[in-house]
Amino acid sequence: MYMLRIRIFKIKKKKIMCKTNGWKGVKELIETEERYVTLLEKTIIHYMRPMDELRTEKWKGQVISENEHRQLFSDLQIIFSLNEQLLKDMKQRFENWDNDKSKIGDLLLDFIPYFKMYQNYFNNYDNVNTLLLKLNNKRS
């Protein structure tokens, strides 16, 4: 009988830990997405937009060309918008989180088709790094 109680206690403890870990996992996912969205937003505000403005004003041709700007920041605004929406959806789901009933996987599954936006980023990564080196050397 004593062994049965210990076994039941261990099973209950595992279920509680799974529920707690599930909640913690979702919370960590949201916190990670928040940091990512914040970094994207800062990149847009402090680099993409100012460089675009400089490109079209009196500095035209002296900073970066339209083609270089497009290469550096290709789908950044779209990626930011998509991730911002995903974050909003995850936060909304998390507000009324119930470990027994709530899930977040469906939000991630709905987001999968938009991962195509990252393909340009991955495909152009080496080219962008080369361009950054070229632009940096040009400034020196």
Side-chain angles (χ1 to χ4, degrees):
M1 185 71 165
Y2 176 74
M3 293 302 284
L4 183 60
R5 284 187 191 158
I6 291 175
R7 179 88 174 126
I8 290 171
F9 174 74
K10 285 182 179 178
I11 291 171
K12 286 181 181 179
K13 185 177 174 185
K14 280 184 182 179
K15 285 183 180 180
I16 290 169
M17 286 176 61
C18 286
K19 289 178 183 179
T20 304
N21 289 340
W23 178 84
K24 284 181 184 178
V26 172
K27 188 172 188 278
E28 184 178 337
L29 182 64
I30 290 171
E31 289 169 353
T32 302
E33 189 67 17
E34 280 178 327
R35 285 190 299 274
Y36 180 64
V37 167
T38 299
L39 288 173
L40 288 174
E41 184 176 38
K42 286 180 179 181
T43 302
I44 290 168
I45 291 169
H46 298 292
Y47 295 99
M48 188 180 97
R49 288 182 188 152
M51 289 180 88
D52 192 41
E53 290 169 11
L54 285 173
R55 189 179 55 75
T56 57
E57 294 176 356
K58 68 177 183 175
W59 300 96
K60 191 172 185 172
Q62 294 181 26
V63 181
I64 60 173
S65 69
E66 185 176 338
N67 185 42
E68 290 167 335
H69 189 273
R70 196 176 319 110
Q71 271 185 278
L72 291 173
F73 304 108
S74 61
D75 295 323
L76 188 62
Q77 187 67 52
I78 296 168
I79 289 171
F80 169 72
S81 297
L82 290 170
N83 281 276
E84 188 177 44
Q85 184 61 49
L86 176 63
L87 177 60
K88 181 181 166 193
D89 293 347
M90 287 193 302
K91 281 181 169 182
Q92 192 173 28
R93 181 77 54 93
F94 193 66
E95 282 178 10
N96 301 311
W97 190 260
D98 178 345
N99 278 325
D100 292 324
K101 298 175 185 172
S102 299
K103 50 187 166 175
I104 204 154
D106 59 316
L107 293 177
L108 299 174
L109 287 173
D110 290 344
F111 190 72
I112 285 174
Y114 300 107
F115 282 135
K116 291 177 188 173
M117 292 297 174
Y118 287 92
Q119 191 162 0
N120 281 341
Y121 173 81
F122 292 123
N123 291 342
N124 292 321
Y125 184 80
D126 291 334
N127 295 335
V128 168
N129 278 332
T130 302
L131 176 60
L132 284 171
L133 286 171
K134 177 185 145 201
L135 292 171
N136 196 30
N137 289 335
K138 189 177 171 181
R139 272 190 20 204
S140 302

